[in-house]
């Protein structure tokens, strides 16, 4: 199943990359985070130390239909390393990936600045487990044209929904998360118009 999904994603990337000159948008961003929680004693109960590190890349390729509308595919690939110390000693790594469509509406303010809104959805899966899910995100952003269509994408959060479950779990054991995080996050990405 994983090979089929990666083949479909590769095919869509190749189709988008072979579009006419002047109509392809390629870009993405990357992230790194680390989290460390210290142990505590509460009512003579010992709670563990936990550490996790995450690195992710999020590429996209889109076809620009005109000066305002772009549609294409977006992907995500992230690696997580976790370690829990006492009372449960555990160390593990896992890789998650996702892919899906996106649509973007852009309004050009000047030769340097543009505003855009993007709606994207992804199917996500974690290797080594039966965990899978879907996510969607709607966010506004600013594009800054640095030179010849190469620029920075800046967004400050948006509206997100994610639902996940294990493959053989009953439907009522699905977990869902909805969030509105305007101003709570800041993302910088790069893109290039060809």
């Amino acid at each position: 199943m994983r090979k089929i999904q990666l083949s479909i994603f590769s095919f869509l990337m190749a189709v988008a990359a072979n579009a006419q000159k002047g109509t392809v948008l390629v870009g993405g961003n990357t992230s790194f985070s680390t989290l460390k929680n210290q142990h505590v004693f509460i009512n003579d109960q010992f709670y563990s130390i936990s550490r996790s590190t995450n690195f992710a890349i999020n590429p996209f390729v889109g076809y620009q239909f005109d000066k305002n509308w772009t549609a294409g595919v977006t992907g995500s690939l992230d690696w997580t390393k976790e370690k829990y110390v006492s009372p449960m000693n555990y160390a593990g790594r896992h890789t998650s990936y996702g892919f899906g469509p996106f649509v973007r509406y852009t309004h050009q303010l000047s030769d340097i600045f543009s505003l855009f809104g993007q709606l994207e959805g992804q199917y996500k899966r974690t290797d080594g487990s039966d965990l899978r899910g879907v996510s969607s995100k709607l966010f506004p952003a600013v594009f800054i044209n640095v030179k010849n269509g190469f620029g920075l994408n800046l967004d400050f959060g948006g509206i997100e929904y994610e639902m996940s479950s294990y493959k053989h779990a009953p439907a009522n054991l699905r977990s869902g998360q909805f969030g509105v995080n305007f101003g709570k996050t800041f993302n910088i990405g790069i893109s290039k118009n060809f």
Side-chain angles (χ1 to χ4, degrees), residues 7 17 49 65 67 92 99 105 112 114 116 119 122 139-140 142:
S7 297
I49 301 170
F65 293 97
K67 67 178 185 175
F99 62 92
Y105 181 81
I112 298 174
S114 298
F116 68 87
L119 174 64
Q122 285 194 9
F139 61 94
V142 175

Side-chain angles (χ1 to χ4, degrees), residues 13-148:
M13 298 279 279
V15 169
N18 289 322
Q20 296 176 5
K21 187 175 179 182
T23 61
V24 176
L25 178 66
V26 178
N29 63 32
T30 184
S31 65
F32 174 80
S33 65
T34 182
L35 175 67
K36 180 179 179 182
N37 291 322
Q38 298 291 337
H39 63 277
V40 294
F41 285 97
I42 300 175
N43 297 331
D44 295 327
Q45 182 83 20
F46 178 72
Y47 292 88
S48 68
I49 301 170
S50 65
R51 294 184 185 98
S52 68
T53 304
N54 178 269
F55 176 73
I57 56 173
N58 304 288
F60 64 84
V61 175
Y63 179 80
Q64 297 175 275
F65 293 97
D66 59 29
K67 67 178 185 175
N68 299 109
W69 289 99
T70 304
V73 284
T74 182
S76 64
L77 184 59
D78 67 59
W79 298 270
T80 303
K81 180 181 176 182
E82 299 173 313
K83 183 175 183 181
Y84 298 94
V85 180
S86 187
M88 171 184 66
N89 290 318
Y90 166 78
R93 298 174 187 216
H94 61 268
T95 303
S96 299
Y97 61 90
F99 62 92
F102 80 89
V103 63
R104 174 186 290 194
Y105 181 81
T106 304
H107 178 72
Q108 189 167 355
L109 301 174
S110 69
D111 289 341
I112 298 174
F113 294 101
S114 298
L115 297 175
F116 68 87
Q118 183 164 312
L119 174 64
E120 60 185 50
Q122 285 194 9
Y123 167 79
K124 295 186 173 186
R125 177 128 188 237
T126 301
D127 277 348
S129 77
D130 287 334
L131 184 62
R132 56 196 67 207
V134 293
S135 68
S136 60
K137 182 178 180 183
L138 174 65
F139 61 94
V142 175
F143 173 74
I144 301 171
N145 186 9
V146 176
K147 187 175 183 181
N148 297 329

